[in-house]
Amino acid sequence: MDAKSKRFGMLGVAILIAIAGAYFYIDHLRYKAMHAIPIGLFRFDVTGPVPVCARWKEHMPKVRDPEPYQLYIDARNRWRSKIEWQFTKEELTQILADVRAASDKGDWGARALLAYFYRHGLGPLPKNRVLDPDADKTVAIARMAVKAGQPWGYYDVGVAHQYGYGGAYYDLDIAWAYYLKAAELGSPYAQMALAEAYSDAGRKDAEEQMLRCAYQQGHGPAATDLGRTARARRRFLDSLRFHHDAVKFGSKDSAVHLYLAFDSDAGASKWPSLLDELGIDRDPERYRRYLEIAEALDLNPDLRFSRLDSFLPLPPAELPEWRGIKDAMDPEPSGPPAY
């Protein structure tokens, strides 16, 4: 090979190296852009200050259009009226159509429920399947909520980044930045996520602070966790009260915990009840009422029991007459749309 050919060969190699370098540099910039913390969000530092307690309702629309709101509520009530495999295809088709219509008209609750349907699908059996899961549409709806500054949207997009679906690439730093923002806006689910992170880091006070933020908003799982924590710390009366409040907030886990605790057929050796620590007798009637509530919540997790103290008070209060769980349930809302 003569000198000229060598020069051309070396030039060609240099050009190829330059092209490859440019490609990798552009790819690196693209990767950095994809994995940069979005504007307005901040990296979560588990050793940093704990977010102040916020309430999600303060960051939601103050008014809701009554017509799509009622369409959404009616569809949701029908969806919660029985186990999903019991529905006909026609029933689920109508439920989906009504939720979509309410979502299209701007109701945020309908959008959140539609995102849930896209995440899980609707209709568990071939004979009643009306919607297959679609992660892209789930995340697209959540991003709409983020644009509107709604806490649930930030939390849902964080979950998408944590697991890498729906066009949200897997990135834990971004996921936790979304969780932090959602918690700052009052999302109880995000507050609980931060509580778990603080627990893993050994920051028990910070964990309890975040759990109490969610608990103060009527979040059942937070009340249940506080009940478990109080029991582990031998604060048995606090534990009993937290679990009772959790039932008010719709926690099936706490309803199960309490019906087992009051079960007169379960000896202390079988179920080490916190009642034994408090010197409270087991009570078959309280057992029956908590069991009825647990079974109802298994079917419909949306139920809430704000009147529980009036019909199922904690000992030593006497039990009033019980005509069924409807006595203790939240009454159907009347008037303008409410949260």
Side-chain angles (χ1 to χ4, degrees):
M1 182 181 293
D2 58 29
K4 187 175 181 181
S5 298
K6 285 183 179 180
R7 284 198 300 273
F8 276 115
M10 292 174 65
L11 180 59
V13 170
I15 291 172
L16 289 175
I17 291 174
I19 291 172
Y23 171 81
F24 285 115
Y25 179 68
I26 292 170
D27 193 55
H28 172 70
L29 292 178
R30 187 183 296 117
Y31 179 88
K32 282 188 67 175
M34 288 173 58
H35 292 271
I37 302 293
I39 294 173
L41 303 186
F42 299 93
R43 190 179 303 276
F44 172 61
D45 179 3
V46 76
T47 67
V50 181
V52 298
C53 277
R55 302 180 69 84
W56 67 269
K57 293 180 182 180
E58 296 172 357
H59 300 279
M60 298 298 294
K62 303 305 179 188
V63 295
R64 294 169 79 172
D65 186 336
E67 189 266 328
Y69 169 81
Q70 196 58 53
L71 187 63
Y72 152 66
I73 288 294
D74 290 344
R76 188 181 186 100
N77 287 343
R78 275 180 276 134
W79 176 57
R80 290 299 200 187
S81 66
K82 49 189 174 182
I83 300 170
E84 202 169 333
W85 58 262
Q86 295 175 326
F87 285 101
T88 66
K89 189 167 188 173
E90 291 73 21
E91 288 173 323
L92 289 181
T93 298
Q94 189 59 56
I95 288 169
L96 179 60
D98 288 347
V99 172
R100 272 184 175 147
S103 173
D104 290 343
K105 292 178 181 179
D107 187 84
W108 67 262
R111 286 179 177 171
L113 184 55
L114 186 60
Y116 178 89
F117 288 161
Y118 278 127
R119 186 180 306 115
H120 299 282
L122 186 60
L125 304 175
K127 68 178 182 180
N128 70 358
R129 191 72 164 176
V130 297
L131 186 70
D132 291 323
D134 189 327
D136 288 343
K137 289 183 179 178
T138 295
V139 176
I141 293 172
R143 291 195 187 281
M144 289 173 63
V146 167
K147 271 192 171 182
Q150 296 177 356
W152 70 271
Y154 283 97
Y155 177 77
D156 280 10
V157 174
V159 173
H161 277 290
Q162 182 174 355
Y163 296 99
Y165 62 77
Y169 30 87
Y170 172 78
D171 190 305
L172 292 180
D173 286 340
I174 293 178
W176 281 96
Y178 274 104
Y179 290 155
L180 176 61
K181 181 67 173 181
E184 291 171 343
L185 294 175
S187 162
Y189 294 100
Q191 289 166 343
M192 289 196 67
L194 264 61
E196 184 176 357
Y198 290 133
S199 175
D200 292 342
R203 297 184 65 186
K204 298 301 181 184
D205 289 346
E207 174 195 9
E208 185 166 347
Q209 184 175 331
M210 279 290 96
L211 286 177
R212 284 184 177 273
C213 287
Y215 163 73
Q216 289 164 8
Q217 298 189 81
H219 191 61
T224 297
D225 279 4
L226 285 168
R228 290 171 177 152
T229 299
R231 180 172 180 174
R233 296 176 180 175
R234 303 190 64 78
R235 291 167 20 212
F236 298 112
L237 186 57
D238 286 344
S239 178
L240 181 61
R241 288 170 175 164
F242 278 130
H243 280 298
H244 186 71
D245 282 349
V247 175
K248 293 180 192 177
F249 304 155
S251 169
K252 185 190 80 169
D253 288 346
S254 281
V256 170
H257 184 94
L258 290 177
Y259 86 65
L260 288 172
F262 281 105
D263 184 3
S264 59
D265 292 332
S269 60
K270 289 183 180 179
W271 181 258
S273 171
L274 58 86
L275 301 185
D276 301 319
E277 302 285 353
L278 293 168
I280 296 175
D281 292 334
R282 293 169 188 261
D283 185 329
E285 180 57 22
R286 282 187 166 87
Y287 157 78
R288 186 180 70 81
R289 295 185 188 187
Y290 281 118
L291 174 60
E292 190 175 341
I293 290 172
E295 291 174 340
L297 286 169
D298 190 44
L299 174 64
N300 185 358
D302 289 342
L303 297 178
R304 299 294 181 266
F305 299 91
S306 60
R307 298 186 292 187
L308 191 67
D309 288 335
S310 298
F311 294 93
L312 182 48
L314 288 172
E318 295 287 330
L319 284 178
E321 181 185 359
W322 178 264
R323 295 167 299 182
I325 62 170
K326 287 192 175 179
D327 283 340
M329 282 169 49
D330 286 11
E332 284 292 323
S334 58
Y339 292 105

